[in-house]
Amino acid sequence: MRAILNFLWFILGGVLMGLAWWLVGLVAFVTIVGIPWGRACFVMGNFSFFPFGKEAINRRDLTGAHDIGTGALGMVGNVIWFLFAGVWLALGHVGCAIANFVTIIGIPFGWQHLKLAGIALAPNGMTVVTKEVAAAARQRNAAATVDGLRKG
């Protein structure tokens, strides 16, 4: 089922937004200063091409450790990203979502575009994994929280 949804997604607009992410990534790489954002653009662009069966998750939630993208510098990076590129990519995804919501068959694709619009606003500190890996990370974090509450 995921393969069918990904194929339909790619044809019905996923390719446009994936290419938009890649274009922003190329512009970021040209600026040299934007290389960290460019790398994130290519990861999210690939995710935009075929999103079904995958999920964007915070790297801190996945690994259990902070890194440069999940800390204070990541937050500053997300603010800069939001001002220069995030708003435009998010608006592109919202526009695609509205176009998909007009049709009955496009409703699941519209929801996926809205999820990607949220990611477009602040992608630093995020990574893309399969849904099963994301669920396992959430379960592990929930178990750690419960253990912490029992001890505290």
Side-chain angles (χ1 to χ4, degrees):
M1 187 64 161
R2 288 178 184 172
I4 293 169
L5 287 172
N6 277 323
F7 177 73
L8 289 172
W9 168 270
F10 187 79
I11 291 171
L12 298 174
V15 67
L16 295 175
M17 287 310 300
L19 289 174
W21 275 96
W22 280 8
L23 176 65
V24 171
L26 287 174
V27 170
F29 269 103
V30 168
T31 66
I32 306 295
V33 175
I35 289 175
W37 292 284
R39 185 177 171 279
C41 282
F42 285 107
V43 169
M44 293 304 164
N46 289 339
F47 181 45
S48 290
F49 283 131
F50 302 108
F52 291 96
K54 299 177 193 167
E55 188 174 328
I57 186 171
N58 191 304
R59 283 193 311 267
R60 180 177 20 116
D61 294 340
L62 182 64
T63 64
H66 288 283
D67 62 25
I68 196 164
T70 61
L73 284 176
M75 186 176 71
V76 170
N78 276 330
V79 169
I80 293 168
W81 168 263
F82 177 83
L83 295 173
F84 288 104
V87 171
W88 307 112
L89 284 169
L91 286 174
H93 279 295
V94 169
C96 288
I98 291 169
N100 280 299
F101 281 135
V102 171
T103 67
I104 298 294
I105 195 169
I107 291 172
F109 303 126
W111 285 116
Q112 191 65 36
H113 271 298
L114 292 180
K115 290 178 191 175
L116 286 163
I119 294 166
L121 295 175
N124 285 344
M126 303 289 280
T127 191
V128 178
V129 296
T130 64
K131 290 205 176 271
E132 294 81 12
V133 170
R138 279 192 295 275
Q139 186 175 6
R140 185 191 69 230
N141 292 338
T145 301
V146 170
D147 287 344
L149 292 172
R150 287 182 181 154
K151 293 177 184 176

